[in-house]
Amino acid sequence: MPVATGTKTATTKGAPRRRGEGQWALGYREPLNKNEENKRNDDGLNVRQRIIDIYSRYGFDSIDPADLRGRFRWYGLYTQRRPGIDGGKTAILEPEELDDRYFMMRIRIDGGQLDHDRLRVIADVSRRYARGTADVTDRQNIQLHWIEIENVPAIWEALESVGLSTTEACGDTPRVMLGCPLAGIDAGEIIDATPEIDEIGARYIGDPAFSNLPRKFKSSISGCAAQCAVHEINDVAFAGVLDGDGEPGYDLWVGGGLSTNPMIGQRLGTFVRPGQVPEVWAGVAGLFRDYGYRRLRHRARIKFLVADWGPERFREVLEKEYLGYALPDGPAPAPPRGGVRDHVGVHPQRDGRYYVGFAPTVGRLSADALDVIADLAARYGSGRVRTTAEQKMVILDVPEASTGDLVAGLAAAGLPANPTAFRRHMMACTGIEFCKLAIVETKQRASDLIGELERRLPGFDAPVTINVNGCPNSCARIQTADIGLKGSLVTGPDGRQVEGFQVHLGGSLNGGDGTSSGFGRKLRGLKTTADELPDYVERVLRRFQAAREPGESFAAWTARADEGDLS
């Protein structure tokens, strides 16, 4: 049986004793920073009742600061950025100076699983309590804005009536689990991971055994042959494989992540059978809880532990101390099918029906758009809808005869199923409009960039990903994009500081086993102002078009291009 609860007191023998990193398993239980102290004082899960009984009744000014900027995250709540504060003040002002009296709310959608009823409820909540806002994230969540604390209990009641919640959507917890939106219907999938995602959710999400991890804990569980759930950059990931006998199961990865210290996850070389996934997941989460670094906040992600230990030691501790048995060796995932790791367009399902993937502009929707999607899904399909890890959506179970009408209905709503390459392959984080960490505006900049590139480069069809991020934290995965744009302040033509972007070029996650995956080139001084961004991207893409060899990807071209061609 897995030893997923309870704290370890031993470590692997022979390892040199290092300076205490706050690892519980080594006896370092005393909190070493304010975050750890707050978590010790009270479990983040306990804030729910205070929101219901106190804060929603007495308003924003009644909220304890430790709850406001800490434990609220355990239920998907962050204060928004106060309007009118420019990016130059992001790192200067105190949190209370940045806080608005409204909240962003993140709705947890494991595996991206939605349907007509859930969409209707989210649309109603958005319209009544969030000024009609709704953003699909690159972790398959939906985010709302302008939430007032007085309305949170009513929102929870509405969401929970259709099986949704905001529990552990943020915080030092197991956050939403990525999964393939086509799980169970794709004729080419290796294995349907839906049962594993559902069981982990039922058994462990909201469990106090995992509600105080050193930092956030991101999971990916998918049998998708296109590898749309980006297993390489999650804290823990189960990627579908076939063993030597053709049995479907999972290859286990740990320690992936981006932000300011990006790392590709590492294979443990194991074969995990479907029935083992929940206890292996719990074993990895428990190991992270007990051995993860808690002394320095910026080193508290599991990727730092994996980098220090290596996959062999991590596997040994997992098997001996948390599982109580050895996992068999297994194969690495095959290269992703098709090269493009999304599900946009009209494609057949295994049952003879079709799915239709479509592209909201950089994930931005509205209450009205959600209602339209719900109506179309019910009219032309079974009502089932999925979000993707690329800020897109998919309607399932459409009879072939209805695909044309559905595509037309989506297009009329501004949700194309045959988008241009720029609209299909562009993502953007929340940005300075709402985020307290952001330095620049993102959503509108990205939307404007799509329009400009469509006008300037009609017919461009290479799958070049362009990811726009408002700060260095890489919520929009800038290091793994063909063109990654990191928000920063840059010097404009008149010598003043203006909004702009540090440019990363040639990132890729197309290696399957990680051998061809890598982060983009960050050339010294390669920056652009926000106003000059369309000119820069057009210039680089035209050079790529002129110089690329047959079948050559943008990432491959940037690896061999002269720096002058990339500036």
Side-chain angles (χ1 to χ4, degrees), residues 237-490:
F238 297 81
V241 293
L242 298 175
D243 72 0
D245 298 323
E247 178 186 358
Y250 299 93
D251 187 39
L252 177 59
W253 293 55
V254 294
L258 299 179
S259 192
T260 54
N261 288 282
M263 299 183 192
I264 295 293
Q266 298 194 47
R267 294 185 59 235
L268 296 192
T270 63
F271 181 75
V272 182
R273 292 182 172 84
Q276 296 175 301
V277 169
E279 63 186 12
V280 173
W281 179 94
V284 175
L287 190 159
F288 175 44
R289 176 196 61 212
D290 299 339
Y291 284 104
Y293 303 149
R294 294 174 183 261
R295 182 172 67 88
L296 299 174
R297 189 82 177 151
H298 69 270
R299 274 181 51 82
R301 292 290 295 275
I302 196 174
K303 62 187 177 183
F304 295 102
L305 179 67
V306 174
D308 288 346
W309 278 14
E312 295 82 8
R313 182 182 175 194
F314 193 99
R315 177 176 175 177
E316 178 186 4
V317 175
L318 173 66
E319 292 175 340
K320 290 184 177 180
E321 298 187 19
Y322 291 83
L323 298 179
Y325 58 85
L327 294 166
D329 293 341
R337 178 190 65 199
V340 178
R341 296 168 70 166
D342 69 16
H343 299 293
V344 174
V346 180
H347 303 279
Q349 299 179 180
R350 65 172 53 168
D351 61 4
R353 294 180 292 181
Y354 286 74
Y355 69 85
V356 179
F358 56 96
T361 303
V362 292
R364 178 134 288 180
L365 290 167
S366 65
D368 291 344
L370 291 173
D371 275 333
V372 168
I373 294 166
D375 285 344
L376 292 172
R379 185 182 311 161
Y380 298 114
S382 65
R384 293 199 298 167
V385 181
R386 299 290 183 262
T387 54
T388 83
E390 302 291 329
Q391 298 181 336
K392 309 299 186 291
M393 298 183 76
V394 183
I395 292 175
L396 308 182
D397 309 323
V398 182
E400 182 177 11
S402 298
T403 56
D405 290 336
L406 173 56
V407 169
L410 288 167
L415 302 167
N418 55 349
T420 65
F422 302 117
R423 181 158 177 166
R424 178 172 180 173
H425 299 296
M426 193 171 301
M427 296 198 304
C429 74
T430 300
I432 202 170
E433 180 182 10
F434 297 117
C435 179
K436 293 180 296 181
L437 300 178
I439 300 169
V440 304
E441 206 285 326
T442 55
K443 290 287 190 183
Q444 191 59 51
R445 294 280 187 194
S447 179
D448 292 344
L449 180 60
I450 290 171
E452 278 296 306
L453 294 176
E454 288 175 341
R455 182 179 65 82
R456 299 182 189 195
L457 295 170
F460 186 95
D461 60 359
V464 176
T465 56
I466 304 174
N467 294 6
V468 185
N469 215 78
C471 77
N473 288 325
S474 201
C475 294
R477 309 203 296 256
I478 50 174
Q479 294 100 332
T480 61
D482 287 304
I483 301 176
L485 301 166
K486 180 177 72 177
S488 62
L489 296 180
V490 304

Side-chain angles (χ1 to χ4, degrees), residues 76-118:
L77 291 165
Y78 286 93
T79 49
Q80 289 182 183
R81 184 189 193 92
R82 184 176 297 173
I85 300 176
D86 65 62
K89 296 178 180 177
T90 296
I92 298 174
L93 298 180
E94 295 298 321
E96 58 269 20
E97 296 177 284
L98 287 167
D99 286 334
D100 201 357
R101 299 172 69 88
Y102 298 93
F103 294 88
M104 178 204 82
M105 174 179 278
R106 184 173 296 161
I107 302 171
R108 182 187 187 110
I109 307 173
D110 289 307
Q113 300 177 56
L114 293 171
D115 58 24
H116 173 272
D117 293 340
R118 288 179 166 184

